[in-house]
Amino acid sequence: MILSLPQQRRPSLFPHDEPVVQGRALLPEACRPGVHVPRFGDTVLWDFNGVLRRPANVRPSYWKVCFSLELADPYWNLLARELMMLTFNQLHPAVLKSGVILDSSDDPRTLIQTASRLRTLARWAREKELPPYPDEWTLHDLRQRITDMVADGYASATIKTHVAILKALATAEPALSLPWPVGDPWPGQNTSSVARHIRQDVSTPTVPPTTWFPLIRAAWAYIHDFAPDVLRADRRLRELRAAASPSTVGIDTRLEEWLADPQSKVPVHATCREDDVPQVHWNLMMLLLGYEEERNNAFSPDSAAGMRRRTLVLNTVTQGRITSHALTGELAQVVRPDGSSGPWHPGISWRALSDVKTALRNAAFVLVVGLSMMRDSEIHEILRECVVEHYSTPAVASTKIKGTTDRPGKHWWISEPVVEALAVAEAVSLHPERVFSSSFVSLPDLVPKGVQMLASFVTFANANRDWTGIDEIPTTYIRPHMFRRTMAMLTDQFPGSEIATGIQLKHIASRALANATTRGYAASDAEWAKYLEDALDNVKFRKIKDLYERHTAGEEIGFGPGAERVKDAFDQIDATVKARNGDARTADTLLRTTRIHIRFGMLNNCTADHTNPVGAVCLEDAIVPDGHVGPLDERCRPDRCANSMIGPVHLPMYDSHQRTQLQLINNPSLPACRRDLAERELDITRNVLKMAGVTQ
């Protein structure tokens, strides 16, 4: 066979008509006549639109691999196509026979990234005046490429990806038809160590706490407090337009009747100052009268009839019968930064309605991306009626994109605020299927970018805070993936503390803990640690204070040896308060100064002293990690430990667990090993209930 390039050592593994996409489900339209499935011999463009399913948040241009600029050169073009085919078709018979094993990919965007890195590699070689093609390069040249990137200040994560490409080319060298320097430039080292990037360290920053809290609170205010007004205005406008008559016949009679009703108020444009002259909203006036707004020439001053009608309306305005809230009625009242109270918006006309509906969509995105731990791509895949029950817990159903080949459906456990946010987003969405869509009626399929939605909401919220009364949101650098990183860190390092610091949204920590992330994402953040340290102490004190108040009121606060010690401490504090004729302030002071050790948990409360956990069963015969102080939560035995405190809130869980184990034990088909485990669990549960005085 005649080789197409003089540098080729052998024919390519793939013929020119070999499809790029193999072993994958194609879209139905890919099989229709006239639809071109990319072939290996296509040297200009590989277009996967209409061939492979594209995620909702990916633009069509991101589903095309362009062999432009440096990759237009025949050598680099063929090298790029061969490497991409090897990556994209690991199960191809020729690839299997070659013995080359690369990290496979099913996402065309990975191929785009590969093309980009090869393009920059060729550009770097030209700038360094190296030989134009890698057949004359050495391993030292490849190592110098990464050295130069480090010197130029590239991010560690970026350097790591370029190291991965060079290592992939070294692995693929036996299967390439073009020569490439033989051998791994960094034998025995992974990409992380080469790029001086520790795998456990995630380069993704967290959202600063000074931005996180006002942003989440602002989004919640728009969704929970302001959305009902906006949706009411939207419904009212649709009703008026649906009932509007295209003919103005009888408008004079209708106008006189409308003005005769003392409840009728002339709609005016919202103004920012009280001394501004009210301007009649003539289009809305037409709708309120029952006519299409395009017929507002009925109030034209250019005709005698129009001028007469206009004078009647303006006379009513001078009487003070006006409103800037004709579509909504009274709006939710807020306290503004200057201390005054009033409606959160000056007046929602249909021009303002479009803006606030977009703000609601963006606010919903903020809450979902901030509190669900979903990725941006997964949020854009959310469809209508997506909220379901998953193991008796509210969850959102969507599609997992990253790291998958078959786009599996997945559930993310969510809190009630996220449920409410999704309902609002669905109500304002213009797309027939997707929840987060374009706000342009003429472009419903246009996919809004998550970055733009975040920036737009911050800008809109800050611009209107004089009316809404929300706190100012710092305009810091924020991206959707930073919220996932922040939530993972919060729920791992500070479970429950984000509630303590004032978000006031229930069950966020428990839900987010169930949505898995990597350990790197859960690594602590110094700025958040400093911010939340006091919050943890505050929430713990509030819980201890609540226990004290319930105990002094005669209520049962817990059972077990740990509970008895806490009750004794509370009794001593109560006695001291009474001896001093003190009040609640005295009790608070004593509660803060008395050494009361309680760690509130899901199975029980631990009363062990963190610095000296005497009697902690979890530490018996245990290997304590270096630097660890206090009990080991994962080895807790509530039924045996002298520090265990079983609260009334824990009893329903143990009662339910007991019934579950009994059902398992009574199942004759249960394997013996599983029955033994159920019996042990039943013994533990019964011991706990016995400790609480619950009869079996």
Side-chain angles (χ1 to χ4, degrees):
M1 179 181 290
I2 298 176
L3 304 181
S4 58
L5 289 177
Q7 296 95 335
Q8 277 188 271
R9 302 173 296 177
R10 64 181 75 89
S12 177
L13 291 179
F14 312 100
H16 285 278
D17 60 349
E18 188 81 31
V20 174
V21 182
Q22 300 186 30
R24 298 172 180 82
L26 304 182
L27 292 174
E29 51 263 36
C31 303
R32 297 172 183 169
V35 177
H36 179 72
V37 178
R39 306 284 173 172
F40 173 69
D42 296 335
T43 60
V44 178
L45 176 69
W46 288 357
D47 189 351
F48 296 95
N49 289 288
V51 178
L52 294 176
R53 179 173 173 81
R54 176 167 46 85
N57 69 327
V58 176
R59 294 183 176 181
S61 59
Y62 295 164
W63 222 234
K64 301 176 183 179
V65 181
C66 299
F67 299 97
S68 58
L69 302 175
E70 285 77 12
L71 296 189
D73 183 281
Y75 188 106
W76 285 101
N77 186 281
L78 179 58
L79 180 68
R81 286 186 287 119
E82 287 188 339
L83 179 60
M84 293 178 189
M85 285 292 289
L86 291 170
T87 303
F88 216 55
N89 298 283
Q90 285 287 287
L91 298 181
H92 190 285
V95 178
L96 294 174
K97 186 177 180 179
S98 71
V100 171
I101 301 176
L102 300 175
D103 291 336
S104 61
S105 172
D106 297 90
D107 194 327
R109 287 173 294 180
T110 304
L111 302 185
I112 295 175
Q113 294 167 1
T114 299
S116 174
R117 290 157 194 158
L118 290 176
R119 193 179 289 113
T120 56
L121 177 62
R123 189 179 305 136
W124 167 83
R126 185 178 65 249
E127 294 171 353
K128 295 297 180 180
E129 298 183 351
L130 291 178
Y133 303 125
D135 58 337
E136 300 181 45
W137 295 0
T138 65
L139 294 181
H140 172 75
D141 294 329
L142 301 181
R143 288 191 288 267
Q144 186 62 41
R145 163 62 173 160
I146 302 304
T147 301
D148 289 348
M149 292 186 69
V150 173
D152 291 340
Y154 281 88
S156 296
T158 302
I159 296 173
K160 182 179 174 181
T161 61
H162 285 264
V163 172
I165 284 293
L166 297 181
K167 279 182 163 289
L169 284 165
T171 303
E173 186 272 335
L176 298 174
S177 65
L178 292 169
W180 181 265
V182 178
D184 188 339
W186 304 276
Q189 300 182 56
N190 58 27
T191 56
S192 298
S193 59
V194 174
R196 302 174 184 177
H197 181 81
I198 301 174
R199 186 179 300 275
Q200 285 75 18
D201 290 341
V202 177
S203 59
T204 301
T206 60
V207 179
T210 52
T211 299
W212 171 279
F213 290 110
L215 178 59
I216 295 296
R217 290 193 187 103
W220 179 237
Y222 272 86
I223 293 298
H224 186 68
D225 299 329
F226 307 156
D229 295 334
V230 178
L231 298 180
R232 186 168 64 252
D234 191 41
R235 288 192 301 269
R236 176 62 173 156
L237 182 59
R238 289 200 303 269
E239 292 170 356
L240 290 174
R241 284 176 169 168
S245 171
S247 172
T248 57
V249 174
I251 188 173
D252 292 304
T253 303
R254 173 62 183 139
L255 177 61
E256 292 175 2
E257 292 175 351
W258 192 87
L259 293 176
D261 185 355
Q263 299 299 320
S264 298
K265 294 183 179 180
V266 176
V268 296
H269 291 281
T271 58
C272 297
R273 296 183 304 177
E274 293 183 0
D275 56 349
D276 288 343
V277 177
Q279 300 295 321
V280 178
H281 199 311
W282 297 108
N283 286 2
L284 185 53
M285 184 70 192
M286 290 298 297
L287 283 177
L288 293 176
L289 291 173
Y291 303 99
E292 293 180 350
E293 62 261 38
E294 291 83 0
R295 307 294 177 177
N296 61 6
N297 57 0
F299 291 101
S300 173
D302 297 332
S303 66
M307 192 61 191
R308 181 175 55 80
R309 300 182 193 114
R310 192 181 188 91
T311 302
L312 290 175
V313 173
L314 293 177
N315 288 339
T316 306
V317 171
T318 59
Q319 298 171 14
R321 286 172 51 190
I322 60 174
T323 179
S324 59
H325 307 294
L327 293 177
T328 60
E330 291 299 322
L331 298 179
Q333 302 293 298
V334 296
V335 178
R336 304 191 181 109
D338 60 2
S340 63
S341 298
W344 66 273
H345 196 281
I348 303 178
S349 64
W350 63 68
R351 294 184 184 274
L353 182 60
S354 176
D355 294 336
V356 291
K357 285 173 64 177
T358 300
L360 288 184
R361 181 203 65 185
N362 298 340
F365 181 83
V366 169
L367 288 180
V368 175
V369 77
L371 304 178
S372 71
M373 300 183 74
M374 298 180 72
R375 297 180 177 91
D376 181 65
S377 60
E378 295 158 349
I379 294 175
H380 279 87
E381 293 290 334
I382 296 176
L383 303 179
R384 293 180 180 274
E385 300 181 358
C386 60
V387 178
V388 298
E389 276 202 2
H390 187 58
Y391 291 95
S392 302
T393 303
V396 58
S398 187
T399 303
K400 186 177 185 296
I401 304 296
K402 185 174 181 179
T404 61
T405 60
D406 53 354
R407 298 171 56 87
K410 187 179 177 182
H411 293 89
W412 285 263
W413 280 317
I414 55 177
S415 62
E416 290 301 326
V418 178
V419 173
E420 190 170 338
L422 287 171
V424 171
E426 184 173 338
V428 300
S429 176
L430 300 177
H431 197 275
E433 296 179 351
R434 293 200 304 270
V435 169
F436 291 98
S437 67
S438 169
S439 56
F440 298 102
V441 177
S442 58
L443 299 171
D445 291 326
L446 183 65
V447 179
K449 288 186 175 181
V451 174
Q452 294 175 347
M453 285 193 282
L454 291 174
S456 175
F457 179 73
V458 171
T459 301
F460 186 88
N462 284 339
N464 295 277
R465 58 182 301 266
D466 288 342
W467 278 90
T468 60
I470 63 173
D471 297 331
E472 184 174 4
I473 307 170
T475 54
T476 53
Y477 178 87
I478 51 175
R479 294 294 184 270
H481 61 283
M482 294 169 61
F483 287 84
R484 176 176 164 85
R485 160 81 167 99
T486 304
M487 197 59 183
M489 179 274 302
L490 281 172
T491 53
D492 181 81
Q493 302 292 323
F494 311 100
S497 59
E498 71 278 18
I499 302 173
T501 48
I503 295 181
Q504 302 300 326
L505 305 179
K506 298 186 295 182
H507 310 308
I508 295 301
S510 60
R511 295 295 182 270
L513 281 171
N515 296 335
T517 59
T518 61
R519 288 300 303 168
Y521 253 58
S524 61
D525 178 87
E527 189 175 2
W528 273 96
K530 182 178 183 300
Y531 191 92
L532 296 174
E533 184 176 359
D534 292 339
L536 285 169
D537 293 337
N538 290 336
V539 71
K540 179 180 176 181
F541 173 75
R542 285 198 295 270
K543 289 184 176 182
I544 291 177
K545 181 180 177 181
D546 179 65
L547 286 180
Y548 171 77
E549 291 175 349
R550 287 164 49 197
H551 177 68
T552 55
E555 299 180 24
E556 183 60 69
I557 63 171
F559 312 93
E564 296 304 320
R565 290 202 302 274
V566 172
K567 292 175 184 177
D568 290 342
F570 285 168
D571 289 339
Q572 294 177 17
I573 292 174
D574 188 45
T576 304
V577 171
K578 292 178 179 178
R580 297 179 181 178
N581 293 323
D583 54 10
R585 186 183 298 272
T586 304
D588 285 358
T589 302
L590 291 173
L591 283 172
R592 289 186 182 275
T593 56
T594 304
R595 293 175 59 85
I596 300 176
H597 302 284
I598 304 179
R599 301 177 72 186
F600 297 92
M602 295 293 293
L603 298 176
N604 70 336
N605 299 330
C606 178
T607 62
D609 185 345
H610 299 180
T611 60
N612 185 26
V614 177
V617 175
C618 61
L619 298 178
E620 294 179 0
D621 303 322
I623 300 176
V624 180
D626 293 338
H628 179 80
V629 177
L632 297 171
D633 295 340
E634 67 275 8
R635 303 184 79 244
C636 180
R637 285 297 303 270
D639 61 320
R640 290 182 48 214
C641 187
N643 297 309
S644 178
M645 174 181 177
I646 306 297
V649 68
H650 301 125
L651 296 181
M653 179 187 63
Y654 282 103
D655 180 64
S656 175
H657 191 56
Q658 176 183 232
R659 292 196 301 270
T660 301
Q661 302 311 309
L662 286 172
Q663 290 177 358
L664 290 173
I665 293 171
N666 293 331
N667 184 359
S669 62
L670 191 71
C673 58
R674 186 68 182 87
R675 186 184 304 277
D676 292 341
L677 177 61
E679 289 177 348
R680 289 197 298 272
E681 287 289 317
L682 181 61
D683 289 340
I684 294 174
T685 304
R686 282 179 168 173
N687 288 337
V688 171
L689 293 174
K690 183 179 179 181
M691 183 190 305
V694 178
T695 57
Q696 308 299 317

